[in-house]
């Protein structure tokens, strides 16, 4: 039973006239008759009793009528929904992003996306860097925003910008008046950082170890917000990606350019190779890629 046959059956059943049904369907009388005949043969019996003057539904035809209406309505609804999804008149996209990105840079990007596609809903999972990779890999989300993964990763990475680590110091620290500070000077102070297996923690330790330096960790936390509050309270200093500068300032700390060595790493969009993005996810991917995030950070 094909959709064409069901539509033909409905046209005849609702008008009880082959001539009227032909006009509605833009079919010839012979083509409509053949379509109804093929439907009846496929189902195993007559759906209409007809003579030269009248057309009427058989009991089986009466039984098929409400089912046919429902089938066509469901089909039309499905077709309409898919068309709306492809044209972004509706849809949903899921994204995983590091909390530092989700809380600082993502909101204005989502505002731009919403202005372009007001009927597409977005679900944001703000999770640590490692979980972003895992959620994209397991296809729990279509897109992820995180640091560039290590070589050998099975994920595709599209860089958005290069993030540089900055120093975080208390407002009443002598360093707060400086425009720049060297790592060697910063590490003379009690250090506050994220707990392992945080990518930020591992990244810092690896870069510094290559230079013969070591983090003098005295306090650690799972959340960057807690690290910022500890620094603001005068418990020590820290180093965070530049995308967290606004958040650190709101918490009452001061951020300063860090050098010697400069530690930086690309942040970008993660996708799973071989899996085509939905229209909504592709639109969000394009919106993320179109933003000049580096300029936004410089402006801050």
């Amino acid at each position: 039973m094909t959709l064409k046959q069901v539509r033909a059956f409905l046209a005849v059943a609702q008008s009880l006239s082959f001539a009227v049904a032909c006009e509605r369907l833009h079919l010839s009388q012979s083509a409509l008759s053949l379509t109804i005949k093929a439907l009846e043969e496929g189902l195993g019996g007559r759906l209409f009793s007809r003579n030269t003057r009248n057309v009427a539904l058989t009991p089986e035809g009466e039984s098929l009528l409400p089912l046919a209406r429902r089938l066509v309505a469901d089909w039309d609804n499905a077709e309409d929904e898919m068309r709306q999804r492809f044209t972004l008149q509706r849809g949903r996209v899921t994204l995983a992003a590091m909390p530092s990105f989700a809380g600082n840079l993502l909101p204005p990007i989502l505002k731009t996306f919403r202005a372009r596609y007001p009927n597409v809903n977005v679900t944001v999972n703000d999770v640590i860097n490692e979980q972003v990779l895992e959620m994209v890999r397991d296809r729990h989300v279509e897109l992820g925003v995180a640091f560039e993964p290590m070589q050998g990763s099975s994920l595709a990475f599209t860089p958005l910008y290069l993030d540089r680590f900055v120093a975080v110091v208390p407002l009443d620290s002598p360093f707060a008046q400086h425009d720049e500070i060297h790592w060697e000077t910063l590490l003379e102070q009690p250090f506050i950082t994220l707990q392992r297996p945080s990518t930020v923690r591992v990244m810092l330790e690896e870069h510094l170890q290559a230079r013969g330096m070591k983090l003098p960790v005295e306090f650690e936390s799972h959340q960057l917000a807690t690290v910022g509050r500890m620094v603001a309270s005068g418990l020590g200093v820290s180093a965070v990606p530049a995308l967290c500068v606004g958040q650190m300032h709101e918490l009452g700390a001061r951020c300063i350019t860090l050098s010697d060595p400069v530690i930086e790493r690309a942040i970008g969009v993660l996708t799973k190779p071989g899996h085509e993005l939905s229209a909504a996810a592709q639109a969000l991917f394009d919106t993320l890629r179109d933003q000049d995030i580096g300029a936004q950070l410089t402006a801050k």
Side-chain angles (χ1 to χ4, degrees), residues 88-118:
L88 295 172
Q89 296 175 49
R90 67 183 300 178
R92 176 177 294 277
V93 57
T94 54
L95 168 78
M98 301 180 296
S100 51
F101 186 91
N104 292 285
L105 297 180
L106 187 58
I109 295 173
L110 291 181
K111 186 176 181 180
T112 300
F113 181 78
R114 172 49 61 92
R116 294 177 182 172
Y117 312 106

Side-chain angles (χ1 to χ4, degrees), residues 34 46 51-52 57 62 73 75 96 99 110 123 137 164 177 183 217 258 270 272 276 281 298:
L34 286 172
R46 292 192 306 140
N51 53 41
T52 54
L57 285 164
E62 293 279 3
W75 177 270
L110 291 181
T123 299
R137 192 180 299 115
R164 174 176 175 170
Q177 307 307 316
W183 267 103
V217 178
L258 249 179
L270 295 164
K272 190 172 177 66
E276 187 171 346
T298 302

Side-chain angles (χ1 to χ4, degrees), residues 8 25 27 51 61 83 115 120 127 166 171 182 200 209 226-227 238 245 253:
L25 298 172
L27 290 175
N51 53 41
R83 187 175 291 110
V120 176
V127 295
V166 296
L171 289 178
H182 291 182
V200 169
Q209 188 175 7
T226 304
V227 171
S238 187
V245 168

Side-chain angles (χ1 to χ4, degrees), residues 33-164:
S33 295
L34 286 172
T35 300
I36 295 297
K37 182 180 179 183
L39 176 61
E40 290 177 327
E41 288 177 350
L43 293 177
R46 292 192 306 140
L47 299 171
F48 297 99
S49 59
R50 50 195 181 271
N51 53 41
T52 54
R53 281 187 275 180
N54 296 310
V55 176
L57 285 164
T58 65
E60 289 76 17
E62 293 279 3
S63 297
L64 178 60
L65 183 56
L67 298 175
R69 283 175 174 151
R70 194 157 64 242
L71 282 170
V72 170
D74 287 346
W75 177 270
D76 289 343
N77 288 338
E79 189 176 28
D80 183 58
E81 178 173 338
M82 294 311 300
R83 187 175 291 110
Q84 288 184 41
R85 286 181 179 273
F86 278 119
T87 57
L88 295 172
Q89 296 175 49
R90 67 183 300 178
R92 176 177 294 277
V93 57
T94 54
L95 168 78
M98 301 180 296
S100 51
F101 186 91
N104 292 285
L105 297 180
L106 187 58
I109 295 173
L110 291 181
K111 186 176 181 180
T112 300
F113 181 78
R114 172 49 61 92
R116 294 177 182 172
Y117 312 106
N119 298 316
V120 176
N121 296 326
V122 181
T123 299
V124 178
N125 298 271
D126 49 343
V127 295
I128 61 173
N129 192 86
E130 294 72 22
Q131 286 179 285
V132 174
L133 275 64
E134 183 180 325
M135 292 184 78
V136 176
R137 192 180 299 115
D138 295 342
R139 299 188 66 195
H140 293 153
V141 298
E142 290 192 83
L143 302 172
V145 179
F147 287 107
E148 182 176 10
M150 298 295 183
Q151 288 186 346
S153 170
S154 60
L155 300 176
F157 179 78
T158 302
L160 296 176
Y161 71 103
L162 200 61
D163 202 311
R164 174 176 175 170

